Amino acid sequence: MDSTLACLTAWMPRQRWYAAKGRPPSLRLVAWWDAPTPAGGTVEGDAAELSPADARVRTFLVADEGALPVVLYQIPVVSRATASVDASPDHIIGSPEPGTTFIDGPFDPAYTSALLSLVTRGGQGTGLRAVATGRPTRIVAAEAFRTATVLAGEQSNTSVIYRCEDGSMPIICKVFRQLHAGLNPDIELQTALADAGSAHVPLAIGSLEGRWPGMSGANDTVTGSLAFAQEFLPGVEDAWRVALHAAARGEDFRDRAHALGAATADVHLSLAGLFPVRETQPADREATAATWQRRLAIAIAEVPAIADRRQAIEAVYSRALEIAWPPLQRIHGDYHLGQVLQVPGRGWVLLDFEGEPLRPMSERVQSDLPLRDVAGMLRSFDYVAGSIRLDNPERSPEAVRDWALSARRSFVEGYASTSGIDSDVEGPLLAALELDKAVYEAIYESRNRPTWVTIPVRAVARLVEKPATVG
């Protein structure tokens, strides 16, 4: 097993989903499970025609103890005889021993076949201190799917797209790379919404649930989510690209923004009917205010332009704390234009209900303010305008700003028309939530993309000057 961990240790830092950039992991094997032998046909990869019988499919759960807190990773591995390997070098993990090669599971047909069988038919994979159980939600014919390809460009997870030769509904299965105890909110919320008949989320197909030793050091066992399969919507663009192209061409986006606001409110209303709703307590307000102040303190230390506006920012926060707050409920939690698809004949469809990736899972599953999602989308519209100004400095800043302001107003109007909120009454709270988001963005951009820091800094200036208005 030492040779296996050595292979993974050398390979993981090159993967986009590996969280500790610039540092090799300090790995400990927590558990592993082997996939059951698939019944029926196999799904073939684009670059290989190898039978699952030629390979061993094992998923390792490894803890990076060099991270604080410790991070638990899921690493699906296909082990093949080196002489038979026909995989791209980019997808080869390494050779733990002479004559054996490890392949990154999602890029090998043995793993993709086993994964599809588990999430669509059910069954169990067992191994050392771990069990994986398939939980089908909707009946599909797994044998009809003939190709499996990995979605490019993902940061936190790895998704496999399964397609049929007859053109029927494709499936996308997200493999969670970082594991947490408890049901992943992406599965929990999307499945509940889809089962309730919401047109604003993809159909849920099934999921993979795991059981493994807890990380507390005690002899406890936890249950968590390993993968989630849902309807794949091909040939569509996310709202970020749609909005960016519209803004670049100067197209009127008000009707589409209004419809997006209405779809957002419809999903919030559905979530309020499916999950508990509770009144905001003083402790909730105090915790939110403490988060605002903690984030502001970091921004003041790292972004001089934010420090210059400290008193004005704190005044916006104070106004929000003086009004009554609406009830708390389940929300999207990481809402922006990139999390929405424009689907012809169906409208806007929301994706990725995992919440903010950097927040602990225990926080992501808590009830929150629906206006937090609204604030996130308002910031996203602002980023469309900001990115165009950065890419095309000769473009009229007034025209781009006017486009963003009209989109923002239309989005809020669409949201209010469906949700029934009074944007004038709740304006101070929305302004504070958007301002806090912009302060967070200023910290992020100063650390990671310094040339982009002007986008949130300009937003902060605007929000403290006109804190009660969307424009």
Side-chain angles (χ1 to χ4, degrees):
M1 190 53 65
D2 287 346
S3 60
T4 293
L5 290 179
C7 266
L8 297 179
T9 298
W11 171 77
M12 284 175 59
R14 302 194 300 271
Q15 310 313 305
R16 298 185 71 173
W17 44 259
Y18 176 63
K21 305 302 182 185
R23 176 186 62 76
S26 178
L27 297 183
R28 174 176 63 87
L29 177 68
V30 174
W32 56 258
W33 58 274
D34 285 340
T37 302
T42 67
V43 177
E44 297 178 352
D46 284 348
E49 296 182 358
L50 300 172
S51 166
D54 298 332
R56 184 190 70 196
V57 180
R58 176 167 292 177
T59 296
F60 295 96
L61 307 187
V62 294
D64 180 8
E65 297 187 320
L68 187 65
V70 174
V71 177
L72 182 64
Y73 289 98
Q74 176 180 203
I75 316 294
V77 173
V78 175
S79 177
R80 293 186 180 274
T82 300
S84 69
V85 171
D86 191 26
S88 165
D90 293 339
H91 307 147
I92 292 177
I93 296 174
S95 296
E97 57 189 38
T100 300
T101 295
F102 278 180
I103 302 165
D104 188 13
F107 294 91
D108 189 286
Y111 174 76
T112 56
S113 293
L115 178 65
L116 180 66
S117 180
L118 284 167
V119 297
T120 59
R121 295 186 176 127
Q124 279 194 339
T126 59
L128 177 68
R129 299 189 294 273
V131 177
T133 304
R135 305 288 187 195
T137 302
R138 191 166 270 94
I139 297 175
V140 297
E143 63 276 4
F145 293 92
R146 303 307 303 165
T147 65
T149 54
V150 173
L151 182 67
E154 280 194 289
Q155 294 284 352
S156 304
N157 303 296
T158 304
S159 293
V160 181
I161 302 168
Y162 298 90
R163 290 182 171 89
C164 301
E165 291 180 346
D166 63 4
S168 56
M169 181 184 72
I171 291 173
I172 183 168
C173 187
K174 179 190 295 185
V175 178
F176 300 114
R177 289 296 191 166
Q178 292 190 30
L179 301 184
H180 307 268
L183 180 61
N184 191 293
D186 199 21
I187 301 173
E188 180 186 20
L189 301 187
Q190 286 207 65
T191 300
L193 288 166
D195 288 350
S198 174
H200 298 301
V201 295
L203 294 174
I205 304 300
S207 61
L208 188 60
E209 176 186 271
R211 191 169 72 248
W212 61 83
M215 305 297 287
S216 64
N219 293 323
D220 62 328
T221 299
V222 300
T223 300
S225 302
L226 301 175
F228 178 40
Q230 59 189 311
E231 170 191 15
F232 178 66
L233 299 165
V236 298
E237 289 189 310
D238 63 40
W240 170 261
R241 296 180 187 277
V242 174
L244 192 65
H245 293 160
R249 292 189 292 262
E251 294 178 357
D252 189 339
F253 200 72
R254 287 176 295 181
D255 288 347
R256 284 175 283 184
H258 190 282
L260 178 56
T264 304
D266 189 67
V267 168
H268 281 167
L269 291 173
S270 296
L271 289 173
L274 293 166
F275 296 95
V277 176
R278 65 177 180 84
E279 294 300 318
T280 303
Q281 301 300 316
D284 300 315
R285 295 162 63 97
E286 292 168 5
T288 299
T291 299
W292 291 345
Q293 290 297 333
R294 184 168 58 250
R295 191 168 284 156
L296 178 58
I298 296 171
I300 288 171
E302 299 185 15
V303 187
I306 299 297
D308 294 341
R309 299 185 181 273
R310 176 174 186 167
Q311 289 186 338
I313 293 170
E314 290 178 336
V316 174
Y317 294 161
S318 295
R319 280 189 286 272
L321 294 170
E322 291 170 358
I323 67 170
W325 286 15
L328 305 180
Q329 64 164 81
R330 298 299 295 274
I331 65 171
H332 185 282
D334 186 28
Y335 199 45
H336 53 78
L337 289 165
Q339 306 283 41
V340 187
L341 299 177
Q342 185 181 49
V343 182
R346 186 166 166 180
W348 295 111
V349 175
L350 282 60
L351 307 173
D352 296 334
F353 285 72
E354 282 190 79
E356 290 185 16
L358 296 181
R359 294 182 69 189
M361 187 62 69
S362 59
E363 294 182 10
R364 293 191 237 167
V365 299
Q366 298 300 314
S367 297
D368 205 337
L369 293 161
L371 287 178
R372 192 178 302 279
D373 282 347
V374 177
M377 189 57 71
L378 293 179
R379 294 297 315 123
S380 202
F381 281 121
D382 197 51
Y383 259 75
V384 169
S387 65
I388 288 177
R389 290 182 65 179
L390 287 174
D391 291 341
N392 189 2
E394 298 179 358
R395 180 79 179 273
S396 166
E398 291 78 13
V400 176
R401 184 166 57 247
D402 289 346
W403 181 95
L405 294 181
S406 67
R408 287 160 54 87
R409 291 193 188 100
S410 296
F411 175 80
V412 172
E413 289 167 2
Y415 186 86
S417 68
T418 298
S419 67
I421 70 162
D422 187 331
S423 56
D424 291 333
V425 173
E426 299 190 15
L429 177 56
L430 178 57
L433 291 169
E434 187 183 358
L435 180 57
D436 173 63
K437 182 74 171 176
V439 168
Y440 164 79
E441 291 163 356
I443 298 169
Y444 176 87
E445 301 296 8
S446 69
R447 292 175 177 177
N448 299 281
R449 297 186 299 187
T451 58
W452 284 60
V453 76
T454 55
I455 298 176
V457 165
R458 286 183 183 133
V460 169
R462 186 188 71 250
L463 288 166
V464 298
E465 289 170 3
K466 299 180 180 179
T469 64
V470 174

